Amino acid sequence: MNVTQPVVRARWCDIGRIADLVTEALSPTALGAWLVPDERRRPTILAAAARIWIEHALLFGDAFLLPDGTAATVWFHRYRPIPPPARYADRLADACGEQLDRFRQFDQALAARRPTEAHNHLALLAAPGPAESGRAAAVLTGAQRWMDTLSMPTYAEAFTDAERELLQQHGYTQQDTYPLGRSTTAHSMWRSPFWSGRSSRNTHSPARRPLVLTHNSPSTRWTLR
């Protein structure tokens, strides 16, 4: 797969598709199992919780899809404090039910370690399927190129060794590591703008060239199921 292909900027009609990708990618992981131990209910709960944040990102950030819709990234522009999603407490309670405390704990753990410096935050990277498919690298490359045009550092959390290695390949450096539950570890990852000279790793990032963003067209538009 050609990992230099462009990404398409998501629109409101893509929220359901992105939530499906997040659910499919997260469900089999240790983090997904910790958030929702009940395997039967896990997809429904994860999709409902993801949808809240995807909707919020389209108001306070960006989301991108590969042109074939098989992988996505969701970002927040944290130039200043962002308010919580509308009716967040009620919506999260409705989505998560008896697992609400775990989702609250998850939110609080991430928020406590999030940088205060202005940055773009890679909140979700969803690329279901085997790593060798190249979809995760492709969607991150395309989205990161667009983010680089904003001349801001970027931040992400990695929850698996594979995610951490992928981010490191794209110029991120690990800043912190902390536990989530009994079996999950989070890694805080930071990427300085490639032009800043603050991190020599970034000079080798595949995100060096500017991106000409390809907007959604009828040939790439998603019809929600």
Side-chain angles (χ1 to χ4, degrees):
M1 184 174 186
N2 181 1
V3 299
T4 63
Q5 66 175 298
V7 291
V8 293
R9 198 172 189 174
R11 300 178 300 171
W12 206 258
C13 64
D14 297 310
I15 291 173
R17 176 56 187 168
I18 299 173
D20 287 345
L21 291 171
V22 172
T23 302
E24 187 178 351
L26 184 57
S27 288
T29 67
L31 175 59
W34 174 69
L35 287 170
V36 188
D38 187 338
E39 189 173 356
R40 292 173 300 175
R41 299 185 59 212
R42 190 179 304 154
T44 301
I45 293 175
L46 292 179
R51 187 180 185 97
I52 296 172
W53 285 105
I54 297 165
E55 290 178 3
H56 203 50
L58 293 186
L59 298 175
F60 293 94
D62 275 297
F64 301 95
L65 286 153
L66 288 183
D68 62 2
T70 58
T73 59
V74 176
W75 302 76
F76 286 97
H77 299 315
R78 297 191 181 276
Y79 310 148
R80 59 183 64 87
I82 294 176
R87 298 180 53 252
Y88 181 55
D90 292 339
R91 293 187 66 189
L92 192 65
D94 290 342
C96 302
E98 62 186 18
Q99 305 305 324
L100 177 60
D101 286 345
R102 295 198 181 202
F103 279 83
R104 284 176 172 168
Q105 182 181 341
F106 181 61
D107 282 352
Q108 292 167 1
L110 299 188
R113 292 166 174 82
R114 190 171 298 135
T116 56
E117 179 181 347
H119 64 280
N120 291 304
H121 176 204
L122 174 57
L124 296 169
L125 194 165
E132 54 268 23
S133 69
R135 288 190 290 268
V139 74
L140 180 56
T141 295
Q144 189 70 61
R145 286 179 178 170
W146 193 88
M147 288 296 157
D148 280 345
T149 68
L150 303 180
S151 302
M152 297 288 293
T154 50
Y155 172 76
E157 297 97 359
F159 303 104
T160 66
D161 289 341
E163 290 176 354
R164 179 176 57 177
E165 291 171 4
L166 176 64
L167 290 166
Q168 288 174 334
Q169 291 167 8
H170 284 72
Y172 287 77
T173 57
Q174 183 173 317
Q175 302 295 303
D176 190 17
T177 299
Y178 50 97
L180 290 171
R182 295 182 178 179
S183 58
T184 303
T185 300
H187 307 279
S188 300
M189 310 292 291
W190 181 261
R191 183 184 189 276
S192 298
F194 71 88
W195 47 263
S196 70
R198 291 168 59 188
S199 173
S200 60
R201 294 177 62 88
N202 293 339
T203 62
H204 302 291
S205 168
R208 292 179 64 189
R209 292 175 293 177
L211 169 70
V212 177
L213 184 65
T214 302
H215 292 279
N216 287 359
S217 65
S219 62
T220 59
R221 189 174 299 150
W222 272 96
T223 301
L224 299 183
R225 295 195 294 272

